[in-house]
Amino acid sequence: MVEKKIPVGILGATGAVGQRFIELLADHPWFEVAEVAASDRSAGKTYAQACAWRLATPLPKRVAELVVTTTDVPFKSKLLFSGLDSSVAGEVESALAGKGHAVVSNSKNHRMGSDVPLLIPEINPDHLDALTAQRKRTGGGYIVTNPNCSVIGLAMAIAPLHRTFGIESLAVVTLQALSGAGYPGVPSMDIIDNVIPYIGGGEEEKIEIEPLKILGTFEGGAFKNASFPISASVHRVAVSDGHTMAAFVRLKRKASSEEALRVIAEFRGEPQERKLPFAPARPIHVFTEDNRPQPRLDRDLERGMAVSVGRVRADKLFDLKLEALVHNTIRGAAGAAILNGELLHARGLL
Ligand SMILES: NC(=O)c1ccc[n+]([C@@H]2O[C@H](COP(=O)([O-])OP(=O)(O)OC[C@H]3O[C@@H](n4cnc5c(N)ncnc54)[C@H](OP(=O)(O)O)[C@@H]3O)[C@@H](O)[C@H]2O)c1
């Protein structure tokens, strides 16, 4: 039990990911939103004035009245969740870590840093050991990142396979939701009745490299990435929330689809052992129906924190193929960062 809640700040609080932070933290048992920051376009206004709230739940009244600041003010909260645009996140997050803050970031800028954990608490909590070196470098503060929104779903789905059978190679085709591009995102005239076979910002490259860091090790003071090739092909589709992925996996040790299903369904990690507030009881929900998972039906499982996997079946070219689904702004972004923050607190790192 935590008696007094821990104050936290939200950077990029007005954006798509920032709004999810506000929504998800509204009744959090440990954390309380005390500060909100965004660009100088928003600074000086109340959060309600600065932000065009686009979520289906009401804007929490206490946060609505907070005055938005810029990101260069002194923050009272040690823990800062960042949903900053990547054009500014790199410098701003480094500066705040340099001032002693624990920055838990959604942005791509620091993910591949040599002393920065790219954390999925169920998979690689041991990568937090990298913080010892990082804190020496910064003088005390640190940055922890969560992966790209598609990568979280993909890495969760394949981690049990990699651990048990070893992955030799992987191909993945993504069908990514509109909210992944922030607001206003893709113009409606471009996406209605359409599929766009490209997502800017190096999306394919992120999907081809980030899982290797996550599934790798941190030993002897350095990350050693997993070493199998990944080929990704991404698409933007007219779905509001929820990224779907078709993955094709070649295994080092052959496994039937039944064996694969079993290890995926049994997958658990430190958040489940510790019963962290945002931990889904079952991090991966397995479907055996022919037509699941689907974004509209399955993205909100366990408050959007569970990844769904279905259609696990044998493949003629690879060994197995499967479908995975992740809620991109919850488990793929704000919810993932909150779970990271909870693990940091549970491990005494705040
Ligand atoms: N959307 C997703 O599904 C998703 C998933 C995973 C990761 N991410 C990553 O999370 C980050 C935020 O994404 P988003 O979709 O929420 O973007 P967004 O809706 O465009 O929001 C961007 C936020 O950054 C702020 N900002 C922009 N320029 C700034 C500046 N110069 N100084 C300070 N703040 C500034 C904006 O504030 P103003 O309102 O004042 O302009 C806004 O709060 C990105 O790095 C993105 O790649 C997004």
Side-chain angles (χ1 to χ4, degrees):
M1 282 293 289
V2 176
E3 285 175 4
K4 196 168 176 296
K5 288 197 184 178
I6 299 163
V8 302
I10 312 294
L11 313 174
T14 50
V17 173
Q19 293 186 23
R20 278 289 178 202
F21 274 121
I22 304 294
E23 178 190 55
L24 296 175
L25 289 170
D27 298 310
H28 195 279
W30 299 352
F31 304 140
E32 182 170 72
V33 177
E35 295 162 287
V36 284
S39 77
D40 50 16
R41 294 178 289 276
S42 306
K45 300 176 184 165
T46 64
Y47 185 75
Q49 288 166 340
C51 155
W53 184 256
R54 296 187 192 279
L55 298 178
T57 50
L59 168 56
K61 192 166 177 304
R62 206 181 48 76
V63 177
E65 290 164 3
L66 292 177
V67 175
V68 180
T69 66
T70 53
T71 54
D72 53 3
V73 298
F75 290 101
K76 298 187 296 279
S77 313
K78 162 127 188 179
L79 175 58
L80 300 174
F81 289 113
S82 171
L84 282 173
D85 190 82
S86 58
S87 60
V88 290
E91 273 183 37
V92 170
E93 291 170 2
S94 293
L96 289 165
K99 290 179 186 164
H101 293 282
V103 182
V104 178
S105 172
N106 275 280
S107 215
K108 64 180 179 185
N109 310 62
H110 295 289
R111 285 181 189 149
M112 299 308 290
S114 62
D115 56 11
V116 178
L118 179 55
L119 187 64
I120 299 182
E122 282 91 343
I123 302 177
N124 62 349
D126 51 312
H127 286 201
L128 287 175
D129 292 350
L131 292 183
T132 308
Q134 197 194 140
R135 294 177 87 168
K136 261 192 206 139
R137 175 170 62 79
T138 63
Y142 57 85
I143 298 169
V144 168
T145 59
N146 51 257
N148 164 277
C149 38
S150 292
V151 170
I152 295 188
L154 179 66
M156 291 274 279
I158 63 170
L161 299 177
H162 186 58
R163 274 186 195 168
T164 314
F165 310 112
I167 292 181
E168 200 168 283
S169 58
L170 172 73
V172 61
V173 176
T174 70
L175 307 168
Q176 299 187 210
L178 291 170
S179 60
Y183 188 85
V186 186
S188 57
M189 290 291 278
D190 287 345
I191 196 69
I192 290 172
D193 189 28
N194 210 4
V195 169
I196 299 173
Y198 175 72
I199 294 174
E203 191 76 3
E204 284 178 355
E205 291 76 6
K206 289 183 230 169
I207 297 172
E208 290 178 353
I209 185 70
E210 290 181 15
L212 301 176
K213 182 171 180 182
I214 296 160
L215 295 175
T217 56
F218 184 79
E219 280 170 50
F223 289 108
K224 186 163 182 278
N225 289 1
S227 61
F228 56 87
I230 302 178
S231 171
S233 184
V234 300
H235 303 79
R236 186 72 72 193
V237 298
V239 166
S240 58
D241 292 310
H243 292 350
T244 302
M245 285 152 271
F248 304 78
V249 191
R250 184 166 294 130
L251 298 171
K252 287 188 177 147
R253 186 161 74 74
K254 303 305 168 200
S256 66
S257 52
E258 290 76 20
E259 285 173 289
L261 259 175
R262 185 177 50 74
V263 298
I264 293 171
E266 286 173 358
F267 181 69
R268 302 285 186 278
E270 190 170 328
Q272 287 70 39
E273 279 160 29
R274 289 185 181 269
K275 295 191 171 24
L276 297 179
F278 260 58
R282 284 188 289 143
I284 308 177
H285 284 234
V286 166
F287 289 86
T288 51
E289 296 88 334
D290 283 341
N291 60 355
R292 301 288 277 275
Q294 296 180 19
R296 214 173 57 205
L297 300 182
D298 304 315
R299 62 191 168 206
D300 293 324
L301 278 172
E302 302 216 37
R303 299 176 299 164
M305 287 300 288
V307 169
S308 300
V309 170
R311 305 221 61 221
V312 180
R313 59 213 194 275
D315 182 61
K316 287 191 198 106
L317 282 181
F318 291 75
D319 292 311
L320 294 171
K321 52 187 167 185
L322 57 84
E323 300 285 324
L325 168 75
V326 60
H327 193 305
N328 54 295
T329 62
I330 302 182
R331 185 66 208 224
I338 293 170
L339 191 63
N340 287 354
E342 291 174 352
L343 183 64
L344 293 170
H345 178 57
R347 284 190 170 211
L349 287 162
L350 289 182

